[in-house]
């Protein structure tokens, strides 16, 4: 079945998203994918429109692997966030088409169900850590959560949503890793005491600490049994991850910033982490995710795919299909989808009592209302940057 067009839908219902829509010679069958790269959406759109669309028109939509390799290797210059995000938008849309043609949900194409529902965790939100400590127990109770997630940061951990205005430059947030380790440890312990021992607590250190600082925090938290510590350090130096791993026995989740399977390899074969948590868009989509998943399974590493509030329901749905069909699933991050986003994107996982489910539908099971999307035009927005209050130097956000 030939590809007849590749369209991009750039929209900002609360958050900028870049969706891909691939049309085929069967007018009834099209695929939807997500190519959103928070803070750099237009660069991805240009790559798709200027270079990928012309070469994809006329290609056989059934040949997902061949198209993936052609985009990845065929350009000679390979990898990186912009290329991999574009590749993901196309890859997801092709899997969606394959599912619709077969009349089967994506999970079925991936091997079929191995579980009925998907254990998930939610972010404890609030303007200050103090507010989060106060709210945590009620939040767990009301939502029926089995696992919650905290983030190291000051003052708010509301992520990057609510970017309603055009931004001329990134917002600057304060962060002093040298002086805040003890405060972060105390924060975790206070939450543990509030929610009790039965609730899992994930602590996302968000690449914000150096290896020595991360080890200091993690060792102090060993007795408070974190579900896992997420991205304790930046991913750039594998030796640093080896150091962290060697000095603490707390479970580690890693890889939110990885861009392909090759970056995952050293950590997987040395078991430097217990959970791999790539972002499915960043690594080039379902085709790459299933390869990473298979490598991780062989080394007893579980999955915890990236899926916060600023990820669209299309990607949440893809995560869900992966989770429900892969043996080595660990847990899934569940982003609350804003009501405005629901006007633009239909479908996606449904939350109930700590788990996610999705109704059976062919393909990924999501659609974009293009008229609604047009009512929320793109607004330039950046991911914030962190600077130390002490000397104003830049540190990892
Ligand atoms: C997480 C993440 C996110 C990212 C965000 C960037 O949920 O684990 O670290 O909150 O910061 O997705 O756009
Ligand atoms: Mg994270």
């Amino acid at each position: 079945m030939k590809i007849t067009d590749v369209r991009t839908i750039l929209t900002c219902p609360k958050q900028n998203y870049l969706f891909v829509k691939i049309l085929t010679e069967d007018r009834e069958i099209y695929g939807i994918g997500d190519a959103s790269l928070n803070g750099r959406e237009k660069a991805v759109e240009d790559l798709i429109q200027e270079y990928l669309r012309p070469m994809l028109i006329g290609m056989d939509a059934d040949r997902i692997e061949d198209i993936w390799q052609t985009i990845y290797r065929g350009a000679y210059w390979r990898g990186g966030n912009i290329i991999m995000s574009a590749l993901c938008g196309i890859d997801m849309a092709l899997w969606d088409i394959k599912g619709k043609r077969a009349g089967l949900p994506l999970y079925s194409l991936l091997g079929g169900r191995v579980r009925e529902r998907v254990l998930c965790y939610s972010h404890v939100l609030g303007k200050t850590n103090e507010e989060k400590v106060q709210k945590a127990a009620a939040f767990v109770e009301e939502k029926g959560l089995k696992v919650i997630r905290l983030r190291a940061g000051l003052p708010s951990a509301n992520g990057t949503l609510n970017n309603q205005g055009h931004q001329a430059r990134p917002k600057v947030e304060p962060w002093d890793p040298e002086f805040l380790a003890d405060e972060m440890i105390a924060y975790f312990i206070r939450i543990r005491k509030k929610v009790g021992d039965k609730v899992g607590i994930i602590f996302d250190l968000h690449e914000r600490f150096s290896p020595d600082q991360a080890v200091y925090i993690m060792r102090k938290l060993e007795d408070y049994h974190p579900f896992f510590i997420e991205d304790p350090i930046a991913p750039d130096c594998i030796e640093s991850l080896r150091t962290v791993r060697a000095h603490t026995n707390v479970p580690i989740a890693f890889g939110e910033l990885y861009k392909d399977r090759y970056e995952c390899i050293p950590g997987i074969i040395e078991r430097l982490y217990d959970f791999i948590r790539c972002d499915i868009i960043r690594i080039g989509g379902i085709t790459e995710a299933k390869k990473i998943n298979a490598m991780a399974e062989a080394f007893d590493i579980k999955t915890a795919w990236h899926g916060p509030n600023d990820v669209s329901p299309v990607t949440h749905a893809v995560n869900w299909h992966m989770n429900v069909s892969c043996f080595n699933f660990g847990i899934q991050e569940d982003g609350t989808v804003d009501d405005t986003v629901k006007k633009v994107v239909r479908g996606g996982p449904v939350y109930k009592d700590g788990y996610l489910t999705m109704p059976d539908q062919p393909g990924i099971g999501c659609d974009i209302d293009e008229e609604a999307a047009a009512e929320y035009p793109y607004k330039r927005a950046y991911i914030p940057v962190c600077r130390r209050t002490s000397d104003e130097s830049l540190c990892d956000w």
Side-chain angles (χ1 to χ4, degrees):
M1 182 181 277
K2 283 201 174 114
I3 296 172
T4 53
D5 204 358
V6 179
R7 292 182 19 204
T8 45
I9 304 157
L10 182 56
T11 175
C12 186
K14 206 79 177 168
Q15 166 82 30
N16 287 317
Y17 293 122
L18 177 64
F19 297 111
V20 174
K21 186 167 182 174
I22 296 188
L23 309 183
T24 68
E25 53 193 338
D26 179 339
R27 292 171 126 235
E28 304 282 293
I29 295 189
Y30 59 86
I32 296 291
D34 188 354
S36 308
L37 175 57
N38 198 356
R40 296 289 186 271
E41 300 82 3
K42 283 223 168 193
V44 181
E45 183 175 43
D46 198 44
L47 170 60
I48 295 173
Q49 286 300 337
E50 179 65 20
Y51 300 100
L52 303 184
R53 177 178 176 271
M55 64 186 250
L56 285 167
I57 292 175
M59 286 179 89
D60 182 355
D62 190 56
R63 299 179 60 164
I64 302 179
E65 181 72 27
D66 185 52
I67 290 177
W68 196 98
Q69 300 292 350
T70 304
I71 294 173
Y72 181 74
R73 293 173 200 277
Y76 185 54
W77 316 110
R78 61 187 74 179
N81 281 315
I82 293 170
I83 292 175
M84 298 311 267
S85 302
L87 184 44
C88 172
I90 287 154
D91 182 76
M92 281 185 185
L94 294 175
W95 280 97
D96 195 30
I97 290 171
K98 199 182 274 293
K100 286 173 177 165
R101 288 183 72 190
L104 293 170
L106 174 60
Y107 72 74
S108 185
L109 306 182
L110 296 174
R113 275 182 192 270
V114 294
R115 58 183 51 79
E116 301 309 314
R117 61 199 76 84
V118 166
L119 177 68
C120 69
Y121 64 90
S122 283
H123 297 193
V124 178
L125 297 177
K127 289 205 166 35
T128 60
N129 286 346
E130 184 56 39
E131 187 185 332
K132 287 180 236 171
V133 171
Q134 296 315 326
K135 280 182 168 174
F139 180 60
V140 168
E141 180 73 20
E142 278 158 27
K143 283 199 81 180
L145 283 160
K146 315 277 182 269
V147 184
I148 54 172
R149 175 269 202 186
L150 316 175
R151 187 183 79 154
L154 289 176
S156 96
N158 280 334
T160 53
L161 280 174
N162 302 317
N163 285 325
Q164 286 299 295
H166 246 301
Q167 292 180 323
R169 55 180 56 80
K171 204 171 79 185
V172 179
E173 289 181 358
W175 179 243
D176 281 273
E178 288 74 22
F179 304 111
L180 289 166
D182 285 311
E183 197 169 314
M184 293 303 115
I185 294 163
Y187 170 48
F188 185 99
I189 295 173
R190 287 182 70 198
I191 297 264
R192 166 58 75 215
K193 289 186 174 152
K194 288 272 179 184
V195 300
D197 281 337
K198 291 206 176 109
V199 177
I201 309 179
I202 286 167
F203 201 8
D204 186 357
L205 298 189
H206 214 272
E207 305 98 5
R208 288 181 159 204
F209 290 97
S210 59
D212 59 313
Q213 293 160 348
V215 167
Y216 174 76
I217 295 170
M218 291 164 80
R219 291 184 75 140
K220 296 264 185 195
L221 292 181
E222 279 172 6
D223 290 344
Y224 298 90
H225 53 99
F227 190 91
F228 58 63
I229 298 287
E230 173 178 334
D231 293 314
I233 55 166
D236 313 294
C237 176
I238 193 74
E239 288 296 343
S240 300
L241 187 57
R242 287 189 184 111
T243 303
V244 171
R245 182 60 156 187
H247 287 91
T248 167
N249 58 27
V250 173
I252 296 175
F254 208 77
E256 190 173 303
L257 295 182
Y258 283 160
K259 297 176 288 298
D260 54 47
R261 84 194 85 138
Y262 305 107
E263 290 188 316
C264 302
I265 286 175
I268 290 180
I269 62 178
E270 293 178 49
R271 294 205 85 272
L272 297 180
Y273 37 78
D274 304 278
F275 296 81
I276 182 79
R277 60 171 285 94
C278 302
D279 179 302
I280 285 186
I281 306 182
R282 292 298 82 73
I283 55 170
I286 300 157
T287 299
E288 188 73 348
K290 67 186 175 71
K291 292 174 185 173
I292 292 174
N293 195 100
M295 293 196 311
E297 184 190 336
F299 286 85
D300 281 334
I301 291 170
K302 290 178 269 190
T303 61
W305 303 114
H306 184 238
N309 297 4
D310 59 14
V311 160
S312 88
V314 175
T315 294
H316 284 301
V318 169
N319 286 337
W320 185 85
H321 287 282
M322 288 291 300
N323 295 329
V324 89
S325 59
C326 290
F327 175 74
N328 56 320
F329 162 77
I331 195 163
Q332 179 57 53
E333 181 174 33
D334 172 35
T336 314
V337 178
D338 189 88
D339 284 343
T340 326
V341 175
K342 286 185 192 155
K343 287 189 199 160
V344 172
V345 190
R346 276 188 238 112
V350 184
Y351 173 85
K352 190 166 180 271
D353 297 334
Y355 292 88
L356 297 167
T357 52
M358 249 187 91
D360 268 359
Q361 272 175 310
I364 294 172
C366 288
D367 208 352
I368 311 296
D369 181 330
E370 291 186 63
E371 277 180 26
E375 284 171 31
Y376 301 98
Y378 165 82
K379 297 186 176 94
R380 183 178 56 226
Y382 297 90
I383 285 193
V385 296
C386 274
R387 285 189 180 274
R388 290 176 175 83
T389 46
S390 48
D391 66 1
E392 293 175 45
S393 59
L394 191 90
C395 41
D396 277 300
W397 175 68

